Amino acid sequence: MDILLHSYTPSDDDEEEEPIISLPSRSSAPAVDDTMLSLTVAAGKNRILNTPIDPVQHVVDYNPTYDQLWAPICGPAHPYAKDGMAQGMRNHKLGYVEDASIDNFVFDEQYNTFLKYGYAADPSGSSGTNYIGDLDALIKNGGISVYNDRQSEQKKRKREKKIERQEDEADDGVDIGEVDNPASEDWLKKNRKSPWSGKKQGVQGELTEEQKKYAEEHAVKKAAKEKGSDGDKVEVVPEKSTFHGKEEKDYQGRSWIAPPKDAKAKNEQCYMPKRWIHTWSGHTMGVSAIRFFPKQGHLLLSAGKDSKVKIWDVHNSRKCMRTYMGHGKAVCDISFSNDGTKFLSAGYDNNIKYWDTETGQVISSFSTGKRPCVVKQNPDDDKQNILLAGMTDKKIVQWDMDSGKLTQEYDQHLGAVNTITFVDDNRRFVTSSADLSLRVWEFGIPVVIKYISEPHMHSMPAISLHPNSKWLAAQSMDNQILIYSAGEKFQLNKKKRFAGHIVAGYACQVNFSPDGQYVMSGDGEGKCWFWNWKTGKVSRTLKCHEGVCIGVEWHPLETSKVATCGWDGMIKYWDYD
């Protein structure tokens, strides 16, 4: 042990003290060989960061970097890398990209030179001449490439283009001497011609039989296309009708559409149905809409996606009485006249047809070339010749069915028109559209008198008028039924709201019972919902269809019976007891 002695000279005032002895400090930690650490720090600048750690060694005497831990080892890819490639090998988000040894321009030059002349530079440089391919062609052409042609060839091509341009200008009547004078008309003629116009084509010879046939078919298609306005094609389908009943007139000479004399209202009060009593199945595809015969309800009209319209007997045999075929595509809407002897149908083939219910004959057909979404006749008895149709081109068009002329266009919506509902003793009508708004119009005047649009509003594809004509029930795409007043203000009634059903994405119809006591609607799950008009609470739900229940209609006389239709192709009839 080494002892350090310090000398001390006492002063006169101090007493004599003992010398101070200082001992070295000791640590309880074991000794560490820091030789490798010193070497690592000294050679840190020269050491490659991506050098992998030897997988055989058991002890690491320094702190390796992240790249060293993930650097690839000799042999296959790193087994713990997510995509089989070690982190240290990555220089791109998709892996490792190695720089090419040849520039893109040089590669294209040599590739095209080889295709044209038969020789190219040797990319490996192993050949003695540094060229591969046809060496004779190489010596003949002097080793030029496609991008470095001889000047003689360049001059030859320029001379050929100049001669060709002069011939074209001579054909156009241009004076070659005045071509270079910017003040002359010949210069304008020359520069007016586009350099990309190309060469003139020869005179067309006589058409072959195949070309003539194609030209005739094209002319027919073009004429059919121009028949509809706005360039949309109007399909023409043969119109026919088939009667399925026993006889069209009975022994007294009455027509089969004549209402039974004993059909009268049984009760003034309506009762919610709860029992399934009958099914009409005749459509091969889904049913879009159903309508009871006006006032009597002894017949039921249905529009199908199979492009057919059918009418069914409700009072007696409950069979299909007649099928109306005249549309080329699915029928989206139907509407009876006031007396039921005629009805309208609108299809996806851009046609609106006016049918005679009894005979099945098409009285007239209307089209603007755009698809109709809804059709409606004016409810007034003296205006039954007026047809209104909401179209996908944002217009409501009005026809006089007697003359077949288009008499009015209501053009204010910004989207397809979904509904038309007459209010205020048929002096006005309300329309809803895909532009998320309601608009009120004076009949015959194409000016909006009321515009309803709020940030919280959704599309309303179905609207029904309350029996007392004071309220409008609108099916909203946010799974609720909203109530608007049908008076002067057309305000939203915030106290009445009917919800619980799922209709988002489907144009399920909404309807009222004849006494106005119940509101009903189908939904996307095949159910029919009934709400109490006064309380707004759900009174009953019926599982009616497999799929979407799109239409519901309450019988006008038998106040406890309801008809529903769905996309399963079925029409079902429901009763209270």
Side-chain angles (χ1 to χ4, degrees):
M1 177 183 298
D2 296 332
I3 300 175
L4 180 63
L5 299 177
H6 295 271
S7 60
Y8 179 74
T9 303
S11 61
D12 298 338
D13 299 334
D14 296 336
E15 296 181 357
E16 185 179 356
E17 296 181 358
E18 296 181 0
I20 299 174
I21 301 175
S22 176
L23 299 177
S25 60
R26 287 187 173 275
S27 174
S28 61
V32 177
D33 185 7
D34 57 353
T35 304
M36 182 59 69
L37 179 61
S38 301
L39 293 175
T40 303
V41 173
K45 297 182 180 180
N46 299 325
R47 180 168 46 86
I48 301 174
L49 295 177
N50 292 335
T51 302
I53 299 175
D54 187 3
V56 180
Q57 70 181 98
H58 300 283
V59 178
V60 179
D61 297 317
Y62 59 94
N63 292 330
T65 64
Y66 178 82
D67 292 335
Q68 282 180 293
L69 291 175
W70 285 94
I73 60 178
C74 297
H78 201 285
Y80 299 108
K82 295 182 180 179
D83 54 356
M85 179 170 290
Q87 184 72 21
M89 291 186 65
R90 292 178 175 274
N91 61 359
H92 189 267
K93 63 180 180 180
L94 298 179
Y96 179 74
V97 179
E98 183 178 351
D99 293 335
S101 60
I102 186 171
D103 188 67
N104 291 334
F105 174 78
V106 177
F107 176 82
D108 292 339
E109 181 185 20
Q110 298 302 321
Y111 177 78
N112 292 302
T113 301
F114 186 82
L115 292 179
K116 183 175 181 180
Y117 297 119
Y119 59 85
D122 186 6
S124 63
S126 59
S127 177
T129 58
N130 293 332
Y131 282 93
I132 59 173
D134 190 355
L135 298 181
D136 295 335
L138 173 67
I139 298 173
K140 180 181 177 181
N141 296 320
I144 63 173
S145 66
V146 292
Y147 296 155
N148 190 20
D149 288 342
R150 288 190 295 268
Q151 293 184 358
S152 60
E153 293 187 2
Q154 296 178 7
K155 291 180 179 179
K156 183 179 178 180
R157 283 199 298 270
K158 289 181 180 179
R159 186 165 55 251
E160 291 176 353
K161 290 182 179 180
K162 184 177 180 180
I163 294 173
E164 183 180 353
R165 186 174 66 253
Q166 290 176 355
E167 291 177 354
D168 293 340
E169 291 171 352
D171 293 339
D172 295 339
V174 177
D175 187 1
I176 300 177
E178 296 292 331
V179 165
D180 297 330
N181 184 9
S184 64
E185 295 182 359
D186 295 328
W187 185 88
L188 294 175
K189 290 181 180 181
K190 171 195 170 183
N191 290 276
R192 188 182 297 119
K193 183 178 179 181
S194 172
W196 297 278
S197 60
K199 297 182 179 179
K200 293 186 177 180
Q201 297 181 354
V203 180
Q204 178 67 40
E206 187 177 357
L207 297 176
T208 62
E209 294 296 331
E210 184 178 358
Q211 290 175 339
K212 289 181 180 179
K213 183 179 178 181
Y214 177 80
E216 292 176 356
E217 293 177 354
H218 180 73
V220 173
K221 291 180 181 179
K222 186 176 181 181
K225 186 176 182 179
E226 291 177 351
K227 183 178 179 181
S229 62
D230 299 333
D232 281 7
K233 183 179 178 181
V234 179
E235 295 189 14
V236 179
V237 178
E239 300 158 348
K240 59 181 180 178
S241 178
T242 304
F243 183 71
H244 306 288
K246 294 182 179 180
E247 52 186 3
E248 296 190 18
K249 295 185 181 295
D250 61 3
Y251 69 97
Q252 293 182 342
R254 293 180 299 181
S255 172
W256 63 273
I257 67 169
K261 294 183 178 180
D262 58 343
K264 296 181 180 179
K266 296 182 179 180
N267 297 309
E268 293 182 358
Q269 185 177 0
C270 295
Y271 299 92
M272 288 181 297
K274 57 183 180 181
R275 188 169 64 92
W276 173 23
I277 60 175
H278 187 70
T279 300
W280 290 288
S281 59
H283 289 283
T284 58
M285 299 177 70
V287 181
S288 302
I290 53 175
R291 301 286 185 268
F292 274 112
F293 196 90
K295 299 179 182 179
Q296 302 296 327
H298 63 291
L299 297 174
L300 180 66
L301 192 68
S302 63
K305 293 185 177 180
D306 55 359
S307 73
K308 297 177 182 179
V309 179
K310 293 179 177 288
I311 193 165
W312 313 82
D313 185 10
V314 179
H315 190 71
N316 295 319
S317 64
R318 293 182 178 174
K319 295 181 179 180
C320 180
M321 298 300 294
R322 187 179 281 279
T323 301
Y324 308 88
M325 295 167 284
H327 287 281
K329 294 182 181 179
V331 184
C332 57
D333 193 28
I334 48 178
S335 177
F336 267 118
S337 61
N338 285 355
D339 56 2
T341 58
K342 301 176 183 64
F343 70 89
L344 291 163
S345 65
Y348 280 80
D349 59 352
N350 302 337
N351 286 322
I352 302 171
K353 295 185 181 293
Y354 192 41
W355 302 82
D356 186 290
T357 308
E358 181 181 359
T359 63
Q361 298 294 323
V362 176
I363 302 173
S364 55
S365 182
F366 310 93
S367 178
T368 63
K370 294 295 183 179
R371 182 174 67 85
C373 298
V374 57
V375 288
K376 188 82 67 175
Q377 281 181 267
N378 192 302
D380 289 337
D381 293 333
D382 58 343
K383 296 178 182 176
Q384 286 290 284
N385 62 321
I386 302 299
L387 159 65
L388 290 177
M391 315 298 287
T392 55
D393 62 348
K394 314 170 188 177
K395 297 179 182 179
I396 303 106
V397 291
Q398 177 179 318
W399 277 283
D400 184 351
M401 292 189 289
D402 292 341
S403 63
K405 295 182 179 179
L406 198 151
T407 58
Q408 192 63 266
E409 279 190 358
Y410 306 84
D411 187 8
Q412 291 289 329
H413 277 292
L414 304 177
V417 181
N418 295 325
T419 63
I420 300 175
T421 308
F422 281 89
V423 296
D424 193 17
D425 294 332
N426 307 325
R427 292 192 297 267
R428 301 173 180 172
F429 62 92
V430 181
T431 59
S432 65
S433 169
D435 61 3
L436 315 184
S437 70
L438 295 177
R439 298 174 194 256
V440 185
W441 313 75
E442 288 280 355
F443 177 74
I445 303 175
V447 178
V448 176
I449 62 173
K450 182 71 175 182
Y451 171 65
I452 305 172
S453 179
E454 299 291 342
H456 60 78
M457 287 179 61
H458 291 69
S459 179
M460 299 177 183
I463 293 180
S464 181
L465 183 65
H466 193 276
N468 63 11
S469 302
K470 294 182 180 180
W471 305 99
L472 288 170
Q475 186 80 268
S476 180
M477 282 288 102
D478 57 347
N479 300 325
Q480 61 179 343
I481 299 174
L482 303 178
I483 305 299
Y484 290 87
S485 62
E488 293 292 332
K489 296 183 178 180
F490 294 94
Q491 290 182 341
L492 175 65
N493 189 339
K494 298 181 180 180
K495 296 182 179 180
K496 285 189 180 295
R497 173 179 169 273
F498 305 94
H501 57 325
I502 306 297
V503 293
Y506 305 104
C508 297
Q509 301 170 18
V510 60
N511 217 323
F512 289 95
S513 60
D515 61 354
Q517 185 179 357
Y518 298 105
V519 183
M520 63 176 180
S521 169
D523 75 346
E525 298 177 348
K527 297 179 182 179
C528 182
W529 292 68
F530 296 87
W531 294 270
N532 187 286
W533 169 253
K534 291 184 179 180
T535 63
K537 296 181 179 179
V538 178
S539 299
R540 181 169 296 168
T541 58
L542 298 174
K543 177 61 177 177
C544 300
H545 297 274
E546 296 295 332
V548 181
C549 178
I550 199 71
V552 290
E553 285 280 330
W554 208 296
H555 196 284
L557 290 183
E558 299 178 4
T559 54
S560 62
K561 293 183 178 180
V562 170
T564 62
C565 67
W567 285 3
D568 55 359
M570 302 294 180
I571 304 171
K572 295 186 178 181
Y573 202 33
W574 304 79
D575 197 358
Y576 174 72
D577 52 8

